Amino acid sequence: MTDDAKINAPRRISEPPWVRRLLIALALAFITLFLIVPLLSVFTEALRQGFGFYFQTLRDPMTISAIQLTLIAAAISVPLNCLFGVAAAWTIAKFDFPGKNILLTLIDLPFSISPVISGMIYVLIFGAQGWFGPWLIEHNIRIIFAVPGIVLATLFVTFPFVARELIPLMQAQGRTEEEAARVLGASGWQTFWRVTLPNIKWGLLYGVILCNARAMGEFGAVSVVSGHIQGKTNTIPLHVQILYEGNNFTGAFAVASLLTFLALVTLLLKTWVEYKNTALRGTAFTPVPLEKRSI
Amino acid sequence: MAPKKNSVLPGFRLTLGYTLLYLSLIVLIPLAATFVKSSELSWAQFSHTVFSPQALAAYRLSFGASLFAAAVNAVFGFIVAWVLVRYDFFGKRIVDALVDLPFALPTAVAGITLATLYAPNGWIGEWLTPLGIKVSYTRLGIFVALTFIGLPFIVRTVQPVLADLDSEIEEAATSLGANRWQTFWRVIFPMLSPALLTGFALAFARALGEYGSVVFISSNIPMKTQIVPLLIMSELDGFQYARATALAVVMLVISFLLLLAVNLLQWWSNRYNTNNLA
């Protein structure tokens, strides 16, 4: 059979039509109940008191300050974790050294830790009763219940995103192209910029998209270190909580609709990058596969 | 630590050094602080905190709700993955993209949305209330939130393995006289089960640590509707750092064990990769 014939040939073995229809109906019912209905309700609740109230909530100084802080936290943590991701992927994929699997596991660690604990660890170090607490108070430096704490917590929860996308990608690509470039006289930087980077650009973009979504949406970890000072240490998700707990439900959903819009843009970009590089599909959920040879 | 082989590629020391430094500063030292802090407690104090009735009730609820949510996701996630890989239907691409919504949607948004939907006057709650089913502010609500956030894990671990399955294996089973159900149950399902278990473990691990979506839909009453992350949060709010740390150590150990289990499962799962079969 030629390749064309294989593609055009219908799958000969399949389930009876009624089984197919039943399974499709079950899948769609589950997706509708758990994904589509919640999605629609965010926007319906947000517009419950009309567009006037909606835009009034979004223009509120407290909302604007929350948006600014979220943008700051993302603008710091995404590039830093990006730089780390590239460095870690380069060292793991291009060189052999013992202890690689331990390193891989440690890089993935922040994913398996509860967000509450992710925030708490910084309180233990920088909080008033923490390791550096007395020293920080003496020098009048605030980390916990201030912006630096929020940035640190965001850095922690988004730590693995870029690295775990780039490591398997660069491992699969091997070293031969870079080695050829070096042998032909390219410098290390030239090799990286002209050979490696074009090869990993989709993986890098994918990691950045996922990292950014989490950085802007993180709630638990940031909640622990924030102190919830309106206009100062409130990110968008924390502002949603404050409005909701203040019984301003429509306002809470109006601000939440911003984050929902961000989530939809993330899904769109994610799907587009997966279409460009199919190897990235599903990698957001599974840990980096360990190497069989090394420990 | 030098590379085993002499590589022509530069940057080993620089990138490894930076990787280890950044990893230590952001992850390892802060995590170590948790263990050091918990060692300030005597064993009696430690066990008094982690085995208190309130903590035991929280573990039971966290484990029970997470297991139940992961199990429901295993069934429906498997069906969604199957339908997405094997059948054609209207809106398939949109459904495929939407599966990742719980991953992309901030947990606080998921929390207030589910709490509102399942409240007695909400879109879904108003249908359930006459039947005597209360969801928001009950344990059932916690289960709903944990099911929502765990949904993508099963679909995304089963989907690629199912798509890569060699159709010749099914054809062989059929030509040897197996009916469709036998082919599925005896041939296809065993090949998918490692991926399904990996997804189950990932969804379970994620549910155990979840905070944002649960805090809104649960009433957070100690002994009744308080999961472990919420208990840790309430200790932190009361400045009971030592107690919070002791509970965190228990959760961290469980997380490490689950991560280990997932890695083993993934290694097992990769045995059925078509690359290895070819």
Side-chain angles (χ1 to χ4, degrees), chain A residues 66 69 94 102 126 139 216 241 244 294:
Chain A
L69 183 54
K94 306 294 178 195
I102 296 172
F126 299 113
H139 292 80
M216 291 191 170
Q241 184 192 23
Y244 188 82
S294 60

Side-chain angles (χ1 to χ4, degrees), chain A residues 13 15 20 34-35 38 41-42 81 84 88 90-91 95-96 112 114-115 121-122 155-156 182 253 270 285 287, chain B residues 3 8-10 12 15-16 19 22 26 34 87 98 100 113 116 123 148 157 171 180 202 209 233 255-256 266:
Chain A
I13 316 168
E15 289 70 48
R20 270 182 277 168
F34 274 95
L35 301 180
S41 92
V42 172
N81 285 335
F84 164 75
W90 180 266
T91 204
F95 301 96
D96 292 311
S112 28
S114 173
I121 57 178
Y122 293 106
L155 268 177
F156 183 93
R182 287 286 283 159
F253 276 101
K270 186 174 170 292
F285 298 96
Chain B
V8 292
L9 298 177
F12 177 66
T15 53
L16 182 67
T19 300
Y22 190 74
I26 302 291
T34 315
Y87 307 149
L98 265 185
D100 289 340
T113 307
T116 306
W123 286 1
F148 175 83
T157 45
E171 284 161 18
R180 195 60 198 148
L202 287 168
M233 197 65 158
S255 302
F256 295 151
Q266 236 201 347

Side-chain angles (χ1 to χ4, degrees), chain A residues 211-252:
Chain A
C211 184
N212 180 65
R214 182 72 192 263
M216 291 191 170
E218 177 54 24
F219 175 70
V222 171
S223 181
V224 175
V225 295
S226 148
H228 309 274
I229 308 160
Q230 282 221 58
K232 282 200 174 138
T233 61
N234 253 1
T235 61
I236 306 177
L238 295 176
H239 192 52
V240 170
Q241 184 192 23
I242 285 189
L243 292 173
Y244 188 82
E245 287 178 351
N247 289 326
N248 179 357
F249 297 122
T250 310

Side-chain angles (χ1 to χ4, degrees), chain B residues 26-44:
Chain B
I26 302 291
V27 179
L28 300 183
I29 296 174
L31 273 181
T34 315
F35 287 91
V36 173
K37 183 86 181 170
S38 73
S39 69
E40 289 171 9
L41 293 168
S42 73
W43 173 248

Side-chain angles (χ1 to χ4, degrees), chain A residues 86-293:
Chain A
V86 173
W90 180 266
T91 204
I92 286 169
K94 306 294 178 195
F95 301 96
D96 292 311
F97 56 92
K100 216 187 247 188
N101 278 345
I102 296 172
L103 187 58
L104 282 172
T105 310
L106 289 177
I107 289 173
D108 250 343
L109 204 55
F111 268 154
S112 28
I113 292 173
S114 173
V116 173
I117 299 175
S118 309
M120 189 197 80
I121 57 178
Y122 293 106
V123 176
L124 294 181
I125 294 186
F126 299 113
Q129 301 177 34
W131 284 358
F132 299 121
W135 186 88
L136 288 169
I137 291 167
E138 212 171 276
H139 292 80
N140 208 13
I141 303 169
R142 290 201 72 110
I143 292 182
I144 300 305
F145 305 145
V147 176
I150 288 167
V151 172
L152 276 174
T154 309
L155 268 177
F156 183 93
V157 293
T158 57
F159 183 86
F161 279 99
V162 180
R164 71 181 346 213
E165 295 303 331
L166 289 185
I167 292 167
L169 193 65
M170 278 168 76
Q171 278 176 326
Q173 284 166 353
R175 316 167 187 179
T176 43
E177 285 186 39
E178 280 87 359
E179 281 166 356
R182 287 286 283 159
V183 171
L184 291 170
S187 74
W189 280 116
Q190 282 174 323
T191 309
F192 176 75
W193 288 109
R194 306 237 180 123
V195 179
T196 310
L197 202 58
N199 277 339
I200 61 168
K201 64 176 185 228
W202 293 115
L204 190 60
L205 183 62
Y206 198 66
V208 166
I209 292 166
L210 302 177
C211 184
N212 180 65
R214 182 72 192 263
M216 291 191 170
E218 177 54 24
F219 175 70
V222 171
S223 181
V224 175
V225 295
S226 148
H228 309 274
I229 308 160
Q230 282 221 58
K232 282 200 174 138
T233 61
N234 253 1
T235 61
I236 306 177
L238 295 176
H239 192 52
V240 170
Q241 184 192 23
I242 285 189
L243 292 173
Y244 188 82
E245 287 178 351
N247 289 326
N248 179 357
F249 297 122
T250 310
F253 276 101
V255 179
S257 76
L258 282 183
L259 292 170
T260 310
F261 189 66
L262 171 77
L264 291 176
V265 172
T266 301
L267 288 187
L268 205 66
L269 287 173
K270 186 174 170 292
T271 308
W272 174 64
V273 176
E274 282 170 359
Y275 169 76
K276 289 283 181 188
N277 187 338
T278 48
L280 294 166
R281 261 175 214 164
T283 52
F285 298 96
T286 44
V288 179
L290 299 186
E291 284 190 4
K292 277 168 200 159
R293 272 170 298 168

Side-chain angles (χ1 to χ4, degrees), chain B residues 3 54 56 81 110 118 123 134 153 156 190-191 209 239 260 266:
Chain B
Q54 198 179 345
L56 291 176
Y118 287 91
W123 286 1
K134 279 185 75 180
F153 289 94
R156 295 304 188 220
M191 290 199 283
F239 299 103
L260 192 72
Q266 236 201 347

Side-chain angles (χ1 to χ4, degrees), chain B residues 15 23 31 65 86 88-89 91 117-118 130 139 169 208 215 250 261:
Chain B
T15 53
L23 179 72
L31 273 181
R86 300 245 159 160
D88 279 317
F89 55 92
L117 275 177
Y118 287 91
R139 293 175 177 192
I169 299 169
L208 267 189
V215 71
V250 173

